[in-house]
Structures are given as structure tokens and as C-alpha cells.
Amino acid sequence: MALGDAPSPRALVSRGMSVFSAGDVAGSIEIFDQADAAVPDGSLRPYLWQRGLSYYYADQFREGSEQFRLDVRVNPLDVEEIVWDIACQNRLNPDGPFPPSNRMALPEGRKDRRKIMSTVYSLFRGDGGVTEHDLFAAGHDSSTSDEFYSLFYLGLYCESIGETGKASNYMRAAATSRYATGLGSGDYMSSCAKVHCKLRGWS
């Protein structure tokens, strides 16, 4: 990039991710907004899932839900976007039922090929009688990445239903797991777990 040239949208997204990983949620939103504005036709917007995560941690749950729902329009098989939208919707109406009645779903007859994410999806949507224990068990005897994702989404789930003590235990376990501190340390969700703990004071 020549001196004085504006950074590319891709570079801005990468910078926003780095700023978020350092714990500056508001700063990351500003940079993701810059990336969005750098593509005037709006074609980048449905792929800014990172901004949706930042919105959640900035307590901007309506904006977060809008981002995740926009993402799902172009990628209807993305389980994690659906789960994060459920978390945002619940925080918008904390006294309402969980899961919220307007939750999104995968296309009929389709499911996530990853067993761990299929279990996460069913837990958050309240499908098939899947329980917290089922998700814990699915991650416990599997790969280090599955263990991490089970702990991470158990933390988010328990936070969503108001069980803060359990949420803290699960999320701290995710942030300090073998995956998050080793092979998966570069995974953005590992950073997300650590930022989650930092913001909540769960060190």
C-alpha cells in the first residue's frame, strides 16, 4: 500500500479483529464500520460477523441481531450466526421466554456437519430435548477444538438464561483450555472467550 493510500476493506477487518482481541470493543466497531463504508455497494456488510460479536459485547443487541440476520441471508447454514442471534434476541427481552419465539432456523432437512455445532444449535433452539449436559458430554470426549467450543457455547448459553456463576466457570474453562492456549490460540473465537472473561471480570 502506497503512502497515503486508504487501507483496503480486508485490512480494516483484520485491524478490527486485532483491536477486538486486545479488548477494545468500541474501537473494533469503529473500524468494522470503516470497512463497511469502504465498500459502498454494501456487499461486504453480510460478511461482517465479527462486527456482530462486537455489538454483543458492546450491549448493542439490536444491532448485533440485525448483523447476524443479514449474515444468515447469504449463508443460511451458519449455525453460529443463528446461535448468536438467539443470544442477542434474549438480551433484548431478558424477561421473555428462552429461546425467543422469533429465533431463526436452518433450512428444513439441513444440519451442521460438525456434531458439536449441531448440539450447540439444538441446545440454543430448544430442539430435541438437548440439555446442557449433552453439550458438555459431546465436547468432553472429543477433540480439543470440540472441547473448547462446547465450553464456550455453554458459557454463552448459561449467560443467556441468567446462570452467571455457571457461565463464568464455563467461559473461563474455554479461555484457558488446551485449544485456546495452544493450537487454537489464533482462532478468533479463542480471543472472543478471553475478551468475554475480561469484560465480565471473570479472570
Side-chain angles (χ1 to χ4, degrees), residues 128-149:
V130 170
T131 66
E132 178 186 335
H133 174 76
D134 293 329
L135 179 53
F136 181 82
H140 185 67
D141 296 320
S142 191
S143 65
T144 57
S145 63
D146 281 357
E147 178 189 42
F148 166 78
Y149 277 96

Side-chain angles (χ1 to χ4, degrees), residues 39-54:
V39 185
D41 66 2
S43 59
L44 178 63
R45 195 165 301 141
Y47 302 98
L48 284 172
W49 55 269
Q50 302 94 332
R51 181 167 62 178
L53 297 178
S54 293

Side-chain angles (χ1 to χ4, degrees), residues 27-44:
S28 73
I29 293 173
E30 290 181 9
I31 297 171
F32 292 138
D33 286 348
Q34 291 171 24
D36 188 8
V39 185
D41 66 2
S43 59
L44 178 63

